[in-house]
Amino acid sequence: MATLKLGVLGSGAGSNMQSIVDAIAAGTLDAEIRLVLADVADAKILDRARRHGIACQYLDCAPFRTKLEGAAEDRCIELLKMAGVDTVVLAGFMRIVKPKLLAAFPNRVVNIHPALLPAFPGVHSWAQALDYGCKVAGVTVHFVDAGTDSGPIIVQKAVPVMEDDTPESLHARIQVQEHLAFPEALRIIAVGAYRIEGRRVRIDRDRLQPKA
Ligand code: GRF
């Protein structure tokens, strides 16, 4: 049985979920995706999950627009627990998760954010970085805490901002790194090669080396 039993929450294309699927298939991540939930009924992430034979379903989060709370939060926790999930992956999930979900999976909810946090939390962070005039942008994978994009950082990767960048071209460059960063962060968790000390995630690089 795989070490990590993942539940993936998403709202969009699911390219980050795909990077996790690919890492598992390549044998570089000891994990299985037990369940994919999307808060958008026709989200492409659900099509992708179906194509890979992964259990998935739409999670109606009404009446809330920007958070996962109330009956939907309860249902989400119930579905994840029933599927045997031990680690929750927010892969382009455009809602704020609340303390109840975090308490159900303590230190086991992981988010990817397309910026070098703590710069530019929130939405359209790549466009914010461009507007600000940053010369470097990037991606952060972090444990989720009660704040917005504020939990302890597991992996960050930087990309240059080019003179002729548009928000779309910069986001595309960041996404290439997202697809490396997410499997890398999950590998660290799967191997248990870390400990959380306050805000710092201490990583034991030796334990990440493949055994001879
Ligand atoms: C990614 O840029 C992610 O960082 C952000 O939403 C986007 C989701 O992309 N939070 P995808 O659905 O994984 O393709």
Side-chain angles (χ1 to χ4, degrees):
M1 196 189 280
T3 303
L4 287 188
K5 288 126 192 117
L6 303 175
V8 177
L9 308 191
S11 307
S15 67
N16 279 288
M17 183 200 71
Q18 186 70 53
S19 74
I20 297 166
V21 168
D22 292 346
I24 294 170
T28 56
L29 174 62
D30 183 15
E32 60 181 305
I33 301 179
R34 291 282 181 100
L35 181 63
V36 174
L37 296 173
D39 64 336
V40 177
D42 59 353
K44 289 212 167 47
I45 192 171
L46 292 173
D47 296 331
R48 276 189 207 260
R50 283 183 206 111
R51 275 206 299 279
H52 289 285
I54 300 169
C56 64
Q57 70 183 72
Y58 164 59
L59 183 72
D60 183 356
C61 294
F64 301 105
R65 276 194 322 113
T66 58
K67 54 192 178 178
L68 176 62
E69 206 169 12
E73 183 184 36
D74 291 342
R75 181 80 183 126
C76 180
I77 294 168
E78 185 188 7
L79 289 169
L80 293 169
K81 291 286 182 190
M82 276 178 354
V85 165
D86 60 24
T87 306
V88 180
V89 172
L90 308 183
F93 188 58
M94 302 307 286
R95 287 178 183 269
I96 295 170
V97 298
K98 308 298 280 185
K100 201 166 181 179
L101 179 94
L102 299 178
F105 298 93
N107 283 334
R108 283 286 183 157
V109 183
V110 183
N111 182 44
I112 188 154
H113 182 73
L116 293 174
L117 291 170
F120 311 121
V123 295
H124 303 308
S125 49
W126 59 91
Q128 291 185 57
L130 198 56
D131 288 348
Y132 197 87
C134 292
K135 301 299 188 193
V136 176
V139 57
T140 303
V141 182
H142 63 94
F143 289 109
V144 178
D145 66 8
T148 302
D149 299 323
S150 60
I153 292 168
I154 310 166
V155 170
Q156 285 189 307
K157 292 190 184 294
V159 301
V161 178
M162 303 302 192
E163 292 301 327
D164 58 354
D165 261 334
T166 61
E168 292 72 28
S169 65
L170 180 55
H171 188 217
R173 192 174 308 114
I174 291 170
Q175 281 226 291
V176 172
Q177 296 304 314
E178 290 185 15
H179 301 154
L180 300 173
F182 225 157
E184 184 178 326
L186 293 174
R187 202 172 301 126
I188 289 166
I189 297 171
V191 173
Y194 71 102
R195 61 179 195 280
I196 303 173
E197 286 178 7
R199 282 214 49 83
R200 298 189 70 178
V201 179
R202 300 272 193 185
I203 294 167
D204 182 349
R205 297 276 161 201
D206 290 344
R207 291 191 57 192
L208 289 173
Q209 301 303 323
K211 293 197 177 60

